[in-house]
Amino acid sequence: VTTSSWTMCTVGAAATTSVDLSNTYLDWARRNMRLNGFDGPEHRFVRSDAADFFDEDRGVYDLAVVDPPTFSNSKMTEGFWEVQRDHAELLARLMGRMSPGGVVFFSTNFRGFKLDEAALAAFAPREITQRTIPPEYRNRRIHRAWRLVRGE
């Protein structure tokens, strides 16, 4: 599984962990975080595939923002990633790392995407797409977004 562009953080953003397989996107994340005042050693930037990260990291997180690519076939991984096929497994694994009451915001720009609500029902997924698109955007279908919560 190859995913990118996701960040997990603790309450109050006292610490953050940004995970991406791409050095280019990690550098971009590092610059953006620094511009927003998140530039200390408590803010980690990890170059990793999501599956490898979950196998190696033992952190527990309060908030995660997940924005994986629609498709990826990196030479650094054995298989390939498809958001439609692989999103439920990724989100379920992530929920295993969330604190009770932890929130995950998930988005995708894959136009034909359908969230696997049956597989993710335990996390009470709620679509929040319209609340995430600025009113001045003409393209109201730029992405879709959900809020998921780990039960107490």
Side-chain angles (χ1 to χ4, degrees), residues 41-62:
E42 64 277 13
H43 305 291
R44 295 189 310 154
F45 299 88
V46 179
R47 183 176 188 215
S48 179
D49 169 81
D52 293 341
F53 181 80
F54 288 135
D55 289 343
E56 297 164 9
D57 182 76
R58 295 293 166 234
V60 175
Y61 300 92
D62 299 316

Side-chain angles (χ1 to χ4, degrees), residues 55-83:
D55 289 343
E56 297 164 9
D57 182 76
R58 295 293 166 234
V60 175
Y61 300 92
D62 299 316
L63 174 68
V65 178
V66 182
D67 185 19
T70 298
F71 177 84
S72 179
N73 62 344
S74 172
K75 294 176 185 173
M76 295 178 60
T77 60
E78 290 182 23
F80 62 94
W81 162 267
E82 283 185 359
V83 71

Side-chain angles (χ1 to χ4, degrees), residues 7-59:
T7 300
M8 298 185 295
C9 57
T10 60
V11 172
T16 63
T17 301
S18 297
V19 179
D20 203 306
L21 193 55
S22 164
N23 275 328
T24 300
Y25 286 114
L26 271 181
D27 289 344
W28 188 19
R30 195 175 281 113
R31 283 192 307 273
N32 284 332
M33 293 287 279
R34 186 174 39 247
L35 287 169
N36 285 285
F38 299 98
D39 58 355
E42 64 277 13
H43 305 291
R44 295 189 310 154
F45 299 88
V46 179
R47 183 176 188 215
S48 179
D49 169 81
D52 293 341
F53 181 80
F54 288 135
D55 289 343
E56 297 164 9
D57 182 76
R58 295 293 166 234

Side-chain angles (χ1 to χ4, degrees), residues 20 41 51 59 71 75-76 82 104 112 118 133 136 139 141-142 146:
D20 203 306
F71 177 84
K75 294 176 185 173
M76 295 178 60
E82 283 185 359
V104 172
I133 301 173
E136 66 273 12
N139 182 358
R141 296 179 50 195
I142 192 76
W146 287 263

Side-chain angles (χ1 to χ4, degrees), residues 73-112:
N73 62 344
S74 172
K75 294 176 185 173
M76 295 178 60
T77 60
E78 290 182 23
F80 62 94
W81 162 267
E82 283 185 359
V83 71
Q84 186 61 67
R85 181 192 69 200
D86 300 320
H87 75 278
E89 179 184 351
L90 170 70
L91 292 170
R93 287 187 77 184
L94 172 58
M95 284 305 208
R97 295 304 168 93
M98 301 303 290
S99 62
V103 176
V104 172
F105 292 101
F106 170 75
S107 72
T108 181
N109 62 356
F110 177 43
R111 298 237 178 194

